[in-house]
Amino acid sequence: MRLENTYIAVDGVGETTERNLWERGARTWSEFDPSLCGSTTADRIESFIDTARPRLDSGDSDFFARQLPSSERWRLYENFRDEACFFDIETTGLDHSQNEVTCVSFHQGGDTETLVSGDDLTRENLQALLDSPLLVTFNGARFDVPFLEESFDLSIDIPHLDLMYPCKRVGLSGGLKAIEPEVGVERDRPDISGKDAVRLWREHERGVDGSLETLVSYNREDAVNLRTVADRTVERLDRKTLP
């Protein structure tokens, strides 16, 4: 689904009204006819479309993130897929006030970049790589984003799609590793877990050869695989939502 299919961002328009509009022929904004609904609703929809078109043309993802219900922000994905930043972090533990970020991988536009603690993992580099119209994570709203904000004194207010919630809506439950096989993702190292990531970092600190390379490879896979998980999840939501 693209934003041009969406009416639920209009004040007073819910799922039932939106579905009725689709079923009566207004599958996109350009097909909307005021006669398809009451005059007050029609006026609101026309006003929204007039405002939304130039915002979409200018790539203003923040406008749509504010207008859409939080549960429907997955609808941003099709329009901003190519510019989206898929990212994942590794840490030494779960407490962002006591543990540290060891590496962060970013996948955007087909390229993947990893920042490593003690080398190039800095506030400035994070800000540069997080400059995107849409961030995509898995459980990032509760973990990755607040961890980075606390650790690097950042304020990350970019539109954010946390895939954990859309996945649940289409029956994909569990962590990222459990969901990946369900959508056709195969890992080079399927036996590595979050606990192994902590162990690998500690081994790296002790000078164990190859430990950092393995950790970085694992982290990069997380970021890259998010793209496939997002694609497959949004496809399923499309089939579930559109008539």
Side-chain angles (χ1 to χ4, degrees):
M1 182 187 299
R2 299 181 63 83
L3 290 168
E4 298 95 323
N5 305 118
T6 294
Y7 298 100
I8 205 170
V10 179
D11 185 35
V13 174
E15 293 179 7
T16 300
T17 299
E18 182 179 61
R19 176 166 287 273
N20 287 338
L21 288 169
W22 290 335
E23 291 176 344
R24 298 178 70 181
R27 293 289 293 267
T28 66
W29 296 342
S30 60
E31 296 169 305
F32 176 72
D33 188 314
S35 66
L36 296 175
C37 55
S39 59
T40 299
T41 300
D43 288 345
R44 288 175 177 173
I45 291 174
E46 288 187 308
S47 177
F48 171 78
I49 292 172
D50 289 343
T51 302
R53 284 191 189 280
R55 295 296 186 101
L56 187 56
D57 290 341
S58 65
D60 187 357
S61 59
D62 188 61
F63 168 78
F64 295 98
R66 293 194 309 269
Q67 295 295 122
L68 286 167
S70 59
S71 62
E72 299 298 322
R73 286 180 186 162
W74 62 272
R75 301 186 188 204
L76 290 163
Y77 185 68
E78 291 286 356
N79 292 82
F80 296 99
R81 178 205 312 256
D82 293 338
E83 303 162 275
C85 175
F86 305 82
F87 79 95
D88 182 78
I89 74 173
E90 303 299 340
T91 68
T92 57
L94 301 177
D95 188 340
H96 54 69
S97 64
Q98 298 184 31
N99 300 118
E100 65 174 308
V101 181
T102 57
C103 57
V104 188
S105 286
F106 303 85
H107 182 66
Q108 185 176 23
D111 296 323
T112 310
E113 186 166 346
T114 303
L115 304 178
V116 178
S117 178
D119 182 10
D120 52 3
L121 180 53
T122 64
R123 184 175 187 271
E124 291 72 22
N125 287 341
L126 285 170
Q127 285 180 314
L129 289 170
L130 288 168
D131 184 15
S132 166
L134 181 65
L135 302 179
V136 182
T137 68
F138 190 92
N139 196 31
R142 296 192 303 182
F143 187 72
D144 302 66
V145 169
F147 218 118
L148 289 181
E149 289 181 326
E150 175 75 17
S151 301
F152 295 93
D153 190 27
L154 291 170
S155 177
I156 302 173
D157 56 2
I158 300 164
H160 177 199
L161 173 59
D162 185 337
L163 288 172
M164 185 171 71
Y165 304 102
C167 281
K168 288 181 179 179
R169 288 181 60 177
V170 294
L172 296 170
S173 59
L176 182 62
K177 308 300 182 300
I179 289 172
E180 286 175 347
E182 296 294 317
V183 296
V185 173
E186 295 183 5
R187 281 186 172 257
D188 293 334
R189 297 182 175 88
D191 55 335
I192 293 181
S193 67
K195 290 183 178 179
D196 291 316
V198 178
R199 173 182 56 78
L200 288 166
W201 181 257
R202 295 307 184 198
E203 290 178 356
H204 164 64
E205 291 181 316
R206 297 197 301 270
V208 177
D209 287 343
S211 54
L212 180 60
E213 289 77 7
T214 302
L215 174 62
V216 167
S217 175
Y218 166 75
N219 182 228
R220 288 169 72 88
E221 273 194 298
D222 277 354
V224 171
N225 291 348
L226 283 172
R227 171 69 188 257
T228 302
V229 174
D231 286 348
R232 300 295 179 266
T233 302
V234 170
E235 286 171 7
R236 295 187 185 195
L237 282 167
D238 282 347
R239 292 196 296 269
K240 181 178 180 180
T241 307
L242 289 167

